[in-house]
Every structure is written in C-alpha cells, then in structure tokens.
Amino acid sequence: MGRVVVDVMPKPEILDPQGKAVAGALPRLGFGQFTSVRQGKRFELEVDGPVTQEVLDAAAEAAATVLSNPVIEDVVRVADSEADAAGTIASQGLA
Amino acid sequence: MGRVVVDVMPKPEILDPQGKAVAGALPRLGFGQFTSVRQGKRFELEVDGPVTQEVLDAAAEAAATVLSNPVIEDVVRVADSEADAAGTIASQGLA
C-alpha cells in the first residue's frame, strides 16, 4: 500500500492569520529564533499498490484541482511518502 | 535565511472529518485510485541564518509543545526545507 504526500501552502502575498498567531506565540514561549511562520496543509493520500508515476500524476492533478484553492494557495510538493522521510530528524534517529 | 518544515498529522486512531470529506469527494471527481485521505498541517518556520542542529532541535521542541496537540496529533517530520525538496515532482521538473 503506497502513500502520496501533498503539501499546500498559502501564497506568499496572502495573509496567513494562523501563521501570524503562531509567530506571535513562539517568542513568548521561549522560541525567539523563528522570525516568521506560515501554516498550510498536508494531505496523505493512500493507494492500493505501489506509488507509480501515474499515481503521482493523478495526485498532482487532484492537488491542483481539489486539494488546493489556486487563487490563494500553491501546491508546494507532491511526493511518495517513502522519499518524504529523507532528511527528517526522525530518520536520523533523534526523535 | 533558513526554513524549517514541521508536519503534523492527526493520530491514526483519531477521526479526521476533513480527510474523510476529501476522500469522499475524490472518486466523484475522477480520482478513484485514492482509498483513504488524512489531512494535517504543515508549518514553515523561518530563521535568520542557516538551519543548524540547534535550530532543528528548537523546532522539534516547538513542534511538540506549540504546533501540535499531543493528545490528538503526531509530529511526523521536522526537516530543513532544503532536504524537503528531495523526491518531489517539482524537483523532477514535472510540475
């Protein structure tokens, strides 16, 4: 069973009140190093069978037409969740 | 200027009405290959300067204490956004 990850973020020119609220809260809670926060959405789509190029293409089309509002959001990635683990803290055994 | 990506997903045992709604809509719109959808959150935290291990550790702590509700959500990744591009369709020049 494969899984495709789709990430959607608000466009840079769009106000992001949720991200702004988090950005305001972080310094008060001891995380002063983060200068800006944007909040978007992550979707995990499961398919029976492996994640083929056709599945990725279908996911990219679904991302552009169903999972995001192209007026205010950008699809920033469509990826097999296997590749997704690369470079994470978890994959380095730290969390 | 560095950027850390934090992904938060609802725990598997938690109902996810947004994901369920998307999963119900996809087959009607021609995307019958996706059997299940979960919807979570993606945060992009910006820092002045490079993404060091200290920055990643602070982001992991912020993810666990501020960006997620540990009762119902799991932090699924904390990663430098440079590593984030690996394996995406965009990085393969397809989108």
Side-chain angles (χ1 to χ4, degrees):
Chain A
M1 199 178 61
R3 182 180 295 167
V4 180
V5 174
V6 174
D7 286 338
V8 174
M9 294 300 291
K11 285 182 190 286
E13 65 270 25
I14 297 290
L15 277 178
D16 171 15
Q18 290 178 300
K20 278 265 187 300
V22 174
L26 284 175
R28 292 200 305 272
L29 297 163
F31 301 101
Q33 59 272 74
F34 302 111
T35 55
S36 163
V37 179
R38 304 282 288 173
Q39 181 177 340
K41 289 181 280 190
R42 174 190 164 105
F43 297 91
E44 292 183 355
L45 310 176
E46 297 205 342
V47 288
D48 290 330
V51 177
T52 60
Q53 190 59 49
E54 285 95 73
V55 167
L56 283 175
D57 290 346
E61 197 188 331
T65 57
V66 185
L67 304 180
S68 70
N69 176 349
V71 177
I72 59 168
E73 292 170 326
D74 287 324
V75 177
V76 296
R77 61 199 288 267
V78 178
D80 187 346
S81 75
E82 298 296 307
D84 191 52
T88 68
I89 282 189
S91 73
Q92 294 163 17
L94 296 173
Chain B
M1 200 176 64
R3 183 180 292 167
V4 180
V5 174
V6 173
D7 286 337
V8 174
M9 293 299 292
K11 283 182 191 286
E13 64 270 26
I14 297 290
L15 276 179
D16 171 15
Q18 290 179 299
K20 278 266 186 302
V22 174
L26 283 174
R28 292 200 306 272
L29 296 163
F31 301 101
Q33 60 270 75
F34 302 111
T35 55
S36 162
V37 179
R38 304 283 287 172
Q39 181 177 341
K41 289 180 282 189
R42 173 191 166 106
F43 296 92
E44 293 183 355
L45 311 176
E46 297 205 342
V47 288
D48 290 330
V51 177
T52 61
Q53 191 59 50
E54 285 96 71
V55 168
L56 283 176
D57 291 345
E61 198 188 330
T65 57
V66 185
L67 304 180
S68 71
N69 177 350
V71 177
I72 58 169
E73 292 170 325
D74 287 324
V75 177
V76 295
R77 61 200 288 269
V78 177
D80 187 346
S81 74
E82 298 296 307
D84 190 51
T88 68
I89 283 190
S91 73
Q92 294 163 16
L94 295 174

